[in-house]
Amino acid sequence: MENVHKQARASTVKAKKLSEKKKDMISGYLYVAPFFIVFGIIGLYPAIFSIVLAFQKWNGLGEMEFVGMNNFAIVLQDPLFWKSLYNTVLMGLMGTAPQLIVGIILAYFLNMAVIRFTNFFRVTIFMPYITSMVAVALVFGVFFSSNESALANYVIGWFGFDPVSWKTSEWGAKIAISLMVFWRWVGYNTIIYLAGLQSIPKDLYEAATIDGANKVQQFFHITIPLLKPFIVLTVFMSTVGALQLFAEPTVFLGSSAFSRDEAMTVVMYLYRDAFNLGSFGTASATAVLLLIIIVGAAALNTWLTSGAGSKKRGVKS
């Protein structure tokens, strides 16, 4: 009889322990629930709704009409879509690729012990990233004004070039916006590379110096291979950011941003369709096409940067 009581008491204690585990589990779910609720409302629901809307004809107020793949056909047959895609890729290459190379070089110099006032230079390089886009647009609007006395026209005049109408010419607008993107994001990538450089053990450089390797050999055979995870990260983020270019050309060109095609990007194209022309169906179809392009480009870039590093080390994929 006593054994029976002991077994009953043990089962009661076990049940209480299980109950405590369940309470802990529920409390854990409650702690993380706000994030998933907010993400579902402002992230997941609009994404799913946009995919559904890509197959509908809708002006934002009336009833939706299912049109199948017609929105995709309209977008793909529109020359302005291909022009905006061309502008996006070109300005992405002109504004993003140089900032990755310059970012590595700047981070390398900032990581050198002989450089003084490194904290000052780090803050100075990072400042453009946290500067307001309105301020950036005002500054670049003055630099790249169409007047002959503008700073950009004054500089190119030293090399014998005629003044350029930066906001209305085909290449002038692209160059000015690419420089704005470069100036704004190079500091952000520099800080990421600097964090990567500071994680590389110093004894590797000391051993290489004892073996007779110079600074250039150390840079290409120690720094770059060990910095590869950070390079892959910045290439991925820069690719996604470049294909979503919107703020810089919009604030630089002002009211003429959506009426001219010299610097119209894919995101500006779908914004114009949705909020200027009231065609939410074609805008959503453009967003779906952009998503496919971003996934493909990011995967290709990540594969190329990862593959290059593996081949250098002789790693079989």
Side-chain angles (χ1 to χ4, degrees):
M1 189 67 182
E2 187 177 350
N3 291 335
V4 173
H5 284 301
K6 285 182 179 178
Q7 288 178 357
R9 199 177 300 117
S11 61
T12 305
V13 172
K14 191 175 180 181
K16 283 184 179 177
K17 285 184 179 177
L18 288 176
S19 175
E20 288 299 323
K21 286 182 180 178
K22 285 183 179 177
K23 285 180 181 177
D24 290 342
M25 185 177 65
I26 291 171
S27 120
Y29 282 126
L30 287 176
Y31 277 121
V32 299
F35 165 76
F36 287 101
I37 292 172
V38 173
F39 172 73
I41 294 172
I42 66 173
L44 188 60
Y45 172 73
I48 295 173
F49 183 69
S50 181
I51 293 173
V52 173
L53 203 55
F55 301 93
Q56 313 285 332
K57 183 180 180 181
W58 191 46
N59 62 5
L61 296 174
E63 292 185 359
M64 295 184 189
E65 178 187 351
F66 181 76
V67 293
M69 300 293 289
N70 191 44
N71 288 330
F72 292 93
I74 292 173
V75 172
L76 292 174
Q77 291 172 4
D78 186 359
L80 187 57
F81 168 75
W82 295 105
K83 173 70 174 177
S84 64
L85 182 60
Y86 167 76
N87 291 340
T88 304
V89 173
L90 190 60
M91 288 191 289
L93 290 173
M94 291 167 62
T96 302
Q99 73 181 247
L100 299 178
I101 298 171
V102 174
I104 292 176
I105 297 171
L106 288 175
Y108 183 78
F109 283 111
L110 286 175
N111 195 46
M112 293 176 69
V114 294
I115 301 293
R116 300 183 64 187
F117 308 114
T118 52
N119 288 334
F120 169 76
F121 288 119
R122 288 172 188 173
V123 173
T124 304
I125 290 173
F126 193 69
M127 281 295 288
Y129 175 68
I130 58 175
T131 304
S132 164
M133 271 305 301
V134 177
V136 175
L138 287 173
V139 171
F140 274 80
V142 173
F143 284 172
F144 291 95
S145 169
S146 298
N147 297 326
E148 292 185 10
S149 58
L151 182 60
N153 283 331
Y154 184 72
V155 171
I156 64 173
W158 291 346
F159 302 96
F161 293 101
D162 295 328
V164 175
S165 179
W166 296 98
K167 292 189 177 181
T168 55
S169 62
E170 179 72 24
W171 280 98
K174 290 183 177 64
I175 291 172
I177 293 168
S178 300
L179 285 173
M180 189 190 298
V181 172
F182 173 85
W183 180 80
R184 188 156 180 253
W185 290 95
V186 67
Y188 177 82
N189 288 313
T190 300
I191 296 301
I192 292 177
Y193 291 138
L194 184 60
L197 288 174
Q198 292 178 344
S199 68
I200 299 175
K202 299 293 183 187
D203 52 358
L204 291 177
Y205 294 102
E206 293 170 1
T209 304
I210 293 171
D211 289 341
N214 57 35
K215 293 294 182 185
V216 176
Q217 290 172 323
Q218 291 177 19
F219 180 77
F220 284 105
H221 296 286
I222 297 176
T223 304
I224 294 297
L226 293 180
L227 204 59
K228 201 190 80 174
F230 298 88
I231 296 174
V232 173
L233 172 68
T234 53
V235 167
F236 176 81
M237 293 175 63
S238 299
T239 303
V240 174
L243 290 172
Q244 295 180 352
L245 188 62
F246 178 78
E248 285 84 356
T250 304
V251 297
F252 179 70
L253 298 175
S255 57
S256 64
F258 299 99
S259 58
R260 305 184 64 87
D261 64 356
E262 290 90 353
M264 180 170 286
T265 63
V266 177
V267 179
M268 291 172 66
Y269 174 85
L270 71 89
Y271 180 92
R272 185 203 65 138
D273 265 15
F275 299 104
N276 289 0
L277 304 179
S279 179
F280 286 85
T282 54
S284 297
T286 307
V288 172
L289 291 172
L290 180 61
L291 172 65
I292 295 170
I293 293 170
I294 287 175
V295 171
L300 179 63
N301 267 342
T302 306
W303 178 74
L304 287 175
T305 50
S306 302
S310 299
K311 284 180 181 177
K312 276 188 176 180
R313 296 197 308 272
V315 177
K316 292 182 179 179
S317 57

